[in-house]
Amino acid sequence: MSAVKLMDYDKALELFEPVLGFEVHVELNTETKMFSDAPNPANARNHDAEPNTLIAPVDLGLPGSLPVVNATAVRSSISLGLALGCSIAESCRFARKNYFYPDLGKNYQISQYDEPIAFEGSVEVELEDGTLVTIPIERAHMEEDAGKLTHMGGSTGRIQGAEYSLVDYNRAGVPLVEIVTKPIFGAEHRAPEIAKAYVATIRDIVRGLGISEARLERGNLRCDANVSLRPRGQEKLGTRTETKNVNSMRSVERAVRYEIQRQAAILAEGGTITQETRHWHEDTGTTSPGRPKSDADDYRYFPEPDLLPVQPPRELVEELRAALPEQPVARRRRLKAEWGFGDIEFQGVVNAGLLDEVEATIAAGTTADAARKWWTGEISRIANEREVDAASLVSAANVAALQQLVDAGTLTDKLARQVLEGVIAGEGSPQEVVDARGLAVVSDDGALIAAIDEALAAQPDVLAKIKDGKVQAAGAVIGAVMKAMKGQADAARVRELILERAAQ
Amino acid sequence: MLARIQLTDDEVTQLTGQLDAIVDNIAKVSEVATPDVVATSHPIPMHNVFREDVVGQTLTTAQALQNAPDYDGDRFRVTAILGEEQ
Amino acid sequence: MSEIIRWTAAELGAKLAAGELSSVEATQAHLDRIAAVDGDVHAFLHVNEHALDAAAEVDRRRAAGEELGELAGVPLAIKDVLVTTDQPSTSGSRILEGYRSPFDATVVARARAAGLIGIGKTNMDEFAMGSSTEHSAYGPTHNPWDLDRIPGGSGGGSAAAVAAFEAPIALGSDTGGSIRQPAHVTGTVGIKPTYGGVSRYGAIALASSLDQVGPVSRTVLDSALLHDVIGGHDPKDSTSLPDAWPSFTAAAREGATREVLKGLKVGVIRELPDSGFQPGVASSFHAALERMQQQGAEIVEISAPHFEYGVAAYYLILPAEASSNLAKFDSVRFGLRVTPDGGGTVEDVMSLTREVGFGPEVKRRIILGTYALSAGYYDAYYGSAQKVRTLIQRDFDAAFGQVDVIATPTAPTTAFKLGERVGDPLQMYLNDLTTIPANLAGVPGISIPSGLADEDGLPVGIQFLAPAREDARLYRVGAALETLLVDAWGGPLLDRAPELAEKPVLGGTR
Ligand SMILES: [Mg+2]
Ligand SMILES: [Zn+2]
């Protein structure tokens, strides 16, 4: 591949106005697939299934098989449409999108074409400095995912140069909602940042609704980013490229930035942009051309004759609307104010995806600071170590209970960390772990004084130093006492008692 | 080719003639299909036919692969694609 | 020839219930008949090697005192469009040669549960595209009335099987007449139920919005008995009607009293003049109507101005849906795979496989359908055709405001000679003129024998159409006319069919 020229980013923005557009595919976490009763691999229950084990006849397009619509997937789609501020269609239909590809069991994808379930909405996106941007939504429609191809032979594992490919149809038929924006104008130099924030917002919305696991790295959320440039002052839109399946928040940002720089360099030299799909390469931080749009894109859509129209009852729509969670942006603003966090502290919680956990912990009776410290501190550390979700380790109620034991002086911070480990290990509630492991702080001064006297006797010079006013020497005795008490003492109280003894 | 059938030259010649005649004949539908007439996709109108989101019986991998022209382990096998994923 | 094979399904069922006959005997008699005549008729693509086991099982259940349905133990021929776990399912196509379905079609599962004995899979035009069964990849079926003639299509195998006494009843599928037109040319009975009345699950789809599975038999009562077994709501087919259906068997028995004909209003369509039919077909039709009139039926002329657009609409909708339904035959998950010399890409393999695996009629329709759906033509073709459906439905609505049933000859001509029309697809398509409107509108239709055409002595059928969901009306009217005619003839029409030469049975099944 010949070297791709990139224009300096600021220079590119000086000459051109970027126009964005996004297609985000959300895999719903229903129990079963969109059109079959096979288990849904996008549901946590079915992660790591062996290939071709989550399959019903229709997922393979077996002769005689027929699709039947999943009621829960429809409800989830309506909820998502409402959360995106969309109107919900009085009546909508499924359509067949016909094209041949080996990951497509029927060689058509059941999707929606001219009658999506949700249309005409908008979503507020908050940038890191608090700026709000409104992203116009054109539509959100229901469809099914395709299977997974693995390219074998050749050196790269990519499709180019592969000798053959293997197909796993587990993912075929996973329920998807595809969210399509209208063209986004006025993003200017913040285009990459807006791209990232938009995807993050969609992630937060679907998580808030509980309708998707929304993990980009798992492909639960997949973003195709459309970018076009037009010379300053020009009305007509430029030719766009569509960068496919960018699988992290950071990559979305980088891919948009890259395309702006790449297209600007071509246009500045008098070249033209090819309307095409492009692939993002995480390793090199570049995009490469895929298939140009052509006649082969005639998908011959027609109404799916095996399925009937969906006419969401208005009562259902209103019921789902009433059950919508707060919009992510509004919720974050409210929580930040309620908790009294600074930008950095709050962003720490947001970025760790622990808003729900911190909120629940506070609700269970801790201060905001304590809840934040536990979740972004020790619990996150253990989660990172074990490569699991922090939320999966311990319940908010137990974190609150743990903090309450600290507040009551029953546990020191250090003991509390040991108790946390016990709770995570499944030994029970914090109180049960304290009882079982005998970890409570020794608050009996008599026992502490006995230990102090013993330590002081063993280190007579220390006593002299303290008496001389060198109070910091007490540290050596504190250490010995804590050791003797197996750590189950309040170090501050021990220090107080040492100074009292020395003063006598 | 959209239909993905590799026709021989003879077939193309023969089909072209036949299809022209057929298309001429069926083009008459547009005579009566005026804008005020709604389209019928399903002969018996129904809507909102759904399935509860409950897992049913799935195929075993052996059943899934039993008719496969070629497979490798637990996956179907096809020759090089040399195209591009959509 | 054993007399067992001449009995109707109802008679067989009664004798089985009375203990006068075992299912093994009934099944063996039909297997023997198949072995004896099917070399000439070629109604079957596969004979079920498990049939006798299944029959023995029903006999065992009966001996154990189990309560069994009226058709338990009766042999059933199954059109190869229906997938079956115990036999291959090819839909008459080379591309599916040897295909084994991991599940049974709902109608097959229901027949099995009712104790019917699947005796074999019947021949058909490839993927049910055709009106003569000449488009089967496995060679044509021959009409038992004249082996040089077509048995109709696409379900020529099922019709020929019952006409040749190889099975008392059979399952068919009707997308544009594939049950009724074969009934017409073979002197048998066939019903296309109301769309959604019988599950399509497990019927290899031709055109999803037109396809219906239905019964094929020698008597109206037998079709009703089978319809009662296979019909009703199926959650696996979204287009299946949730309705509770009346007993069609009861309707047929009631119809046999002929009372139903008194005051029955029978519509004849002004736009289908006699000139459109072979003279013997038209005269047989009118003779049947006269008999009905004599019993008190009233013949009313009605207008169905849009029926003439039916064939055109049908030949847009069907190929469009079929081109999409048949895209799954791509050599990846099942079916034939043909790899070009020296390999090739997946696309090359798919294209060559479909070139080799599909017959000319299937290719013709796939290409036609691909064209009809392509951008720029959709509105003019597929979109307009869907509007014609609306117009035809309106014609039916208006007509059924005036009459109880509509009657037409089932098809324009009697059985034509094999090979006569293969080269002229358009002519072949026009053959479906009278049957297609029912599929477009979703209404039920029945074809029963009305007699023999004077000029060639070949069977003619009369078709009755009723409003959607009024299938029972067809059984009443059909059974009434059937008893009238059989009385007048002094026996069933099939008694007048020539004897087929029986080859000596060399033992065992194929
Ligand atoms: Mg898209
Ligand atoms: Zn999509």
Side-chain angles (χ1 to χ4, degrees), chain B residues 1-8 11 14-15 18-19 21-46 49-51 59 63-71 76-83, chain C residues 99-102 194-195 209 238-242 308-309 312-313 315-316 331-335 337 344-347 349-352 354-355 363-364 366-368 370-371 380-381 384 386-391 393 423 425-426 429 440-442 468-469:
Chain B
M1 162 114 237
L2 287 176
R4 204 152 283 190
I5 302 174
Q6 179 199 308
L7 298 168
T8 62
E11 277 178 315
Q14 203 201 6
L15 272 171
Q18 287 174 341
L19 290 178
I22 296 167
V23 169
D24 280 352
N25 187 269
I26 59 187
K28 72 192 256 186
V29 291
S30 51
E31 288 171 20
V32 285
T34 48
D36 55 305
V37 180
V38 295
T40 295
S41 299
H42 290 94
I44 312 287
M46 289 202 287
V49 177
F50 301 129
R51 168 179 61 77
L59 297 176
Q63 283 176 319
L65 295 171
Q66 73 183 11
N67 290 291
D70 194 8
Y71 61 91
F76 296 84
R77 180 176 162 142
V78 295
T79 54
I81 292 173
L82 289 179
Chain C
Y99 175 75
R100 288 284 179 163
S101 175
T194 296
Y195 183 82
S209 73
S238 302
T239 60
S240 167
L241 295 171
E308 66 165 304
Y309 298 94
Y315 279 99
L316 286 164
S331 82
V332 176
R333 295 159 302 282
F334 44 78
R337 176 179 292 185
T345 63
V346 169
E347 183 171 349
V349 175
M350 282 184 188
S351 299
L352 186 60
R354 289 163 65 80
E355 161 67 7
K363 286 182 216 170
R364 188 150 47 226
I366 288 176
I367 287 163
L368 189 58
T370 303
Y371 175 71
Y381 292 143
S384 295
Q386 298 282 42
K387 291 183 171 189
V388 169
R389 290 183 91 151
T390 308
L391 296 169
Q393 277 192 334
L426 192 55
Y429 296 172
L440 290 171
R469 299 182 159 91

Side-chain angles (χ1 to χ4, degrees), chain A residues 23 25 97 109 141 143 178 180 224 242 244 293 301:
Chain A
E23 287 166 32
H25 285 86
K97 179 179 181 179
Q109 179 194 32
H141 67 252
E143 60 182 28
E178 179 177 340
V180 183
D224 304 340
E242 181 180 0
K244 286 277 194 194
K293 296 271 175 190
Y301 282 101

Side-chain angles (χ1 to χ4, degrees), chain C residues 246-261:
Chain C
S247 163
F248 301 121
T249 305
R253 287 189 169 130
E254 186 194 325
T257 66
R258 307 173 195 181
E259 286 302 306
V260 64
L261 295 177

Side-chain angles (χ1 to χ4, degrees), chain A residues 32 52 69 279 291 311, chain B residues 42 48 51 53 59 74 84:
Chain A
T32 65
N52 293 312
V69 178
H279 289 289
R291 191 171 46 84
Q311 299 181 354
Chain B
H42 290 94
N48 290 355
R51 168 179 61 77
D53 185 21
L59 297 176
D74 45 17
E84 188 223 334

Side-chain angles (χ1 to χ4, degrees), chain A residues 155-167:
Chain A
S155 51
T156 57
R158 287 195 195 144
I159 192 162
Q160 292 85 3
E163 287 161 32
Y164 62 97
S165 301
L166 299 177
V167 203

Side-chain angles (χ1 to χ4, degrees), chain A residues 427 429-439:
Chain A
E427 292 168 25
S429 70
Q431 188 60 56
E432 285 164 351
V433 175
V434 165
D435 293 346
R437 291 196 182 183
L439 281 177

